[in-house]
mmCIF file of all heavy atoms in Angstrom:
data_model
loop_
_atom_site.group_PDB
_atom_site.id
_atom_site.type_symbol
_atom_site.label_atom_id
_atom_site.label_comp_id
_atom_site.label_asym_id
_atom_site.label_seq_id
_atom_site.Cartn_x
_atom_site.Cartn_y
_atom_site.Cartn_z
ATOM 1 N N ARG B 4 -29.618 5.688 5.358
ATOM 2 C CA ARG B 4 -30.543 5.188 6.385
ATOM 3 C C ARG B 4 -31.403 4.070 5.826
ATOM 4 O O ARG B 4 -31.765 4.076 4.659
ATOM 5 C CB ARG B 4 -31.429 6.328 6.876
ATOM 6 C CG ARG B 4 -30.621 7.302 7.685
ATOM 7 C CD ARG B 4 -31.458 8.387 8.306
ATOM 8 N NE ARG B 4 -30.597 9.316 9.017
ATOM 9 C CZ ARG B 4 -30.851 9.774 10.237
ATOM 10 N NH1 ARG B 4 -31.948 9.406 10.857
ATOM 11 N NH2 ARG B 4 -30.022 10.614 10.811
ATOM 12 N N TYR B 183 -9.575 -25.639 -6.561
ATOM 13 C CA TYR B 183 -8.481 -24.726 -6.933
ATOM 14 C C TYR B 183 -9.066 -23.344 -7.196
ATOM 15 O O TYR B 183 -10.088 -23.211 -7.860
ATOM 16 C CB TYR B 183 -7.769 -25.224 -8.197
ATOM 17 C CG TYR B 183 -6.470 -24.497 -8.471
ATOM 18 C CD1 TYR B 183 -5.255 -25.016 -8.022
ATOM 19 C CD2 TYR B 183 -6.444 -23.294 -9.172
ATOM 20 C CE1 TYR B 183 -4.061 -24.359 -8.260
ATOM 21 C CE2 TYR B 183 -5.251 -22.627 -9.413
ATOM 22 C CZ TYR B 183 -4.064 -23.169 -8.962
ATOM 23 O OH TYR B 183 -2.880 -22.521 -9.197
ATOM 24 N N ARG B 188 -3.738 -12.311 -6.677
ATOM 25 C CA ARG B 188 -2.767 -12.350 -5.611
ATOM 26 C C ARG B 188 -3.155 -13.530 -4.731
ATOM 27 O O ARG B 188 -4.252 -14.071 -4.870
ATOM 28 C CB ARG B 188 -2.715 -11.039 -4.805
ATOM 29 C CG ARG B 188 -3.936 -10.803 -3.957
ATOM 30 C CD ARG B 188 -3.890 -9.480 -3.193
ATOM 31 N NE ARG B 188 -5.166 -9.283 -2.532
ATOM 32 C CZ ARG B 188 -5.563 -8.155 -1.981
ATOM 33 N NH1 ARG B 188 -4.790 -7.079 -2.001
ATOM 34 N NH2 ARG B 188 -6.741 -8.069 -1.391
ATOM 35 N N LYS B 189 -2.234 -13.915 -3.833
ATOM 36 C CA LYS B 189 -2.472 -15.154 -3.082
ATOM 37 C C LYS B 189 -3.549 -14.997 -2.021
ATOM 38 O O LYS B 189 -4.240 -15.942 -1.684
ATOM 39 C CB LYS B 189 -1.174 -15.628 -2.409
ATOM 40 C CG LYS B 189 -0.006 -15.752 -3.349
ATOM 41 C CD LYS B 189 0.295 -17.196 -3.722
ATOM 42 C CE LYS B 189 1.447 -17.289 -4.684
ATOM 43 N NZ LYS B 189 1.061 -17.037 -6.074
ATOM 44 N N SER B 263 -9.080 -11.638 -19.441
ATOM 45 C CA SER B 263 -9.821 -11.708 -20.703
ATOM 46 C C SER B 263 -10.528 -13.051 -20.800
ATOM 47 O O SER B 263 -10.221 -14.007 -20.079
ATOM 48 C CB SER B 263 -8.842 -11.563 -21.869
ATOM 49 O OG SER B 263 -8.081 -12.767 -21.988
ATOM 50 N N TYR B 266 -8.093 -15.902 -21.744
ATOM 51 C CA TYR B 266 -7.296 -16.411 -20.634
ATOM 52 C C TYR B 266 -8.136 -17.296 -19.726
ATOM 53 O O TYR B 266 -7.689 -18.350 -19.275
ATOM 54 C CB TYR B 266 -6.666 -15.266 -19.841
ATOM 55 C CG TYR B 266 -5.948 -15.770 -18.620
ATOM 56 C CD1 TYR B 266 -4.732 -16.441 -18.726
ATOM 57 C CD2 TYR B 266 -6.525 -15.639 -17.363
ATOM 58 C CE1 TYR B 266 -4.095 -16.948 -17.604
ATOM 59 C CE2 TYR B 266 -5.890 -16.142 -16.237
ATOM 60 C CZ TYR B 266 -4.686 -16.804 -16.369
ATOM 61 O OH TYR B 266 -4.068 -17.315 -15.262
ATOM 62 N N ARG B 277 -5.895 -30.279 -14.299
ATOM 63 C CA ARG B 277 -5.012 -30.493 -13.163
ATOM 64 C C ARG B 277 -5.739 -31.222 -12.036
ATOM 65 O O ARG B 277 -5.225 -32.149 -11.415
ATOM 66 C CB ARG B 277 -4.508 -29.147 -12.687
ATOM 67 C CG ARG B 277 -3.386 -29.213 -11.718
ATOM 68 C CD ARG B 277 -2.839 -27.843 -11.465
ATOM 69 N NE ARG B 277 -1.981 -27.377 -12.546
ATOM 70 C CZ ARG B 277 -1.273 -26.263 -12.510
ATOM 71 N NH1 ARG B 277 -1.330 -25.494 -11.441
ATOM 72 N NH2 ARG B 277 -0.524 -25.906 -13.514
ATOM 73 N N GLU C 129 -23.508 13.293 7.702
ATOM 74 C CA GLU C 129 -24.674 12.870 6.928
ATOM 75 C C GLU C 129 -25.292 14.050 6.175
ATOM 76 O O GLU C 129 -25.673 13.930 5.010
ATOM 77 C CB GLU C 129 -25.714 12.267 7.880
ATOM 78 C CG GLU C 129 -26.738 11.405 7.183
ATOM 79 C CD GLU C 129 -27.718 10.792 8.155
ATOM 80 O OE1 GLU C 129 -27.652 11.111 9.368
ATOM 81 O OE2 GLU C 129 -28.556 9.997 7.711
ATOM 82 N N ASP C 636 4.223 -20.908 -12.542
ATOM 83 C CA ASP C 636 3.384 -22.014 -13.022
ATOM 84 C C ASP C 636 3.122 -21.741 -14.502
ATOM 85 O O ASP C 636 2.380 -20.828 -14.845
ATOM 86 C CB ASP C 636 2.082 -22.028 -12.212
ATOM 87 C CG ASP C 636 1.165 -23.195 -12.560
ATOM 88 O OD1 ASP C 636 1.137 -23.590 -13.745
ATOM 89 O OD2 ASP C 636 0.468 -23.687 -11.661
ATOM 90 N N THR C 639 -0.813 -21.986 -15.538
ATOM 91 C CA THR C 639 -1.758 -20.946 -15.148
ATOM 92 C C THR C 639 -1.155 -19.548 -15.309
ATOM 93 O O THR C 639 -1.883 -18.569 -15.352
ATOM 94 C CB THR C 639 -2.186 -21.099 -13.681
ATOM 95 O OG1 THR C 639 -1.049 -20.878 -12.844
ATOM 96 C CG2 THR C 639 -2.794 -22.466 -13.419
ATOM 97 N N GLU C 641 0.679 -18.178 -12.992
ATOM 98 C CA GLU C 641 0.859 -17.570 -11.669
ATOM 99 C C GLU C 641 2.340 -17.517 -11.295
ATOM 100 O O GLU C 641 3.081 -18.471 -11.494
ATOM 101 C CB GLU C 641 0.120 -18.385 -10.601
ATOM 102 C CG GLU C 641 -1.388 -18.284 -10.695
ATOM 103 C CD GLU C 641 -2.075 -19.311 -9.818
ATOM 104 O OE1 GLU C 641 -2.051 -20.512 -10.144
ATOM 105 O OE2 GLU C 641 -2.640 -18.908 -8.785
ATOM 106 N N ILE C 699 -2.962 -4.915 -3.535
ATOM 107 C CA ILE C 699 -1.600 -4.827 -3.010
ATOM 108 C C ILE C 699 -1.288 -6.163 -2.327
ATOM 109 O O ILE C 699 -2.200 -6.884 -1.936
ATOM 110 C CB ILE C 699 -1.412 -3.635 -2.046
ATOM 111 C CG1 ILE C 699 -2.102 -3.860 -0.701
ATOM 112 C CG2 ILE C 699 -1.862 -2.343 -2.694
ATOM 113 C CD1 ILE C 699 -1.781 -2.763 0.323
ATOM 114 N N ASP C 704 1.126 -13.240 0.523
ATOM 115 C CA ASP C 704 1.974 -13.087 -0.659
ATOM 116 C C ASP C 704 3.437 -12.878 -0.301
ATOM 117 O O ASP C 704 4.268 -12.719 -1.189
ATOM 118 C CB ASP C 704 1.486 -11.876 -1.483
ATOM 119 C CG ASP C 704 0.073 -12.063 -2.006
ATOM 120 O OD1 ASP C 704 -0.069 -12.725 -3.041
ATOM 121 O OD2 ASP C 704 -0.881 -11.569 -1.373
ATOM 122 N N GLU C 759 -2.048 -13.752 -16.900
ATOM 123 C CA GLU C 759 -2.416 -13.702 -18.317
ATOM 124 C C GLU C 759 -1.234 -13.268 -19.185
ATOM 125 O O GLU C 759 -0.999 -13.823 -20.260
ATOM 126 C CB GLU C 759 -3.598 -12.742 -18.496
ATOM 127 C CG GLU C 759 -4.103 -12.699 -19.911
ATOM 128 C CD GLU C 759 -5.498 -12.143 -20.055
ATOM 129 O OE1 GLU C 759 -6.157 -11.887 -19.025
ATOM 130 O OE2 GLU C 759 -5.925 -11.983 -21.201
#
Side-chain angles (χ1 to χ4, degrees):
Chain B
R4 290 185 183 226
Y183 192 94
R188 70 182 174 192
K189 307 257 179 279
S263 73
Y266 175 73
R277 192 172 282 187
Chain C
E129 199 178 5
D636 184 325
T639 65
E641 290 168 288
I699 72 173
D704 297 278
E759 184 161 354

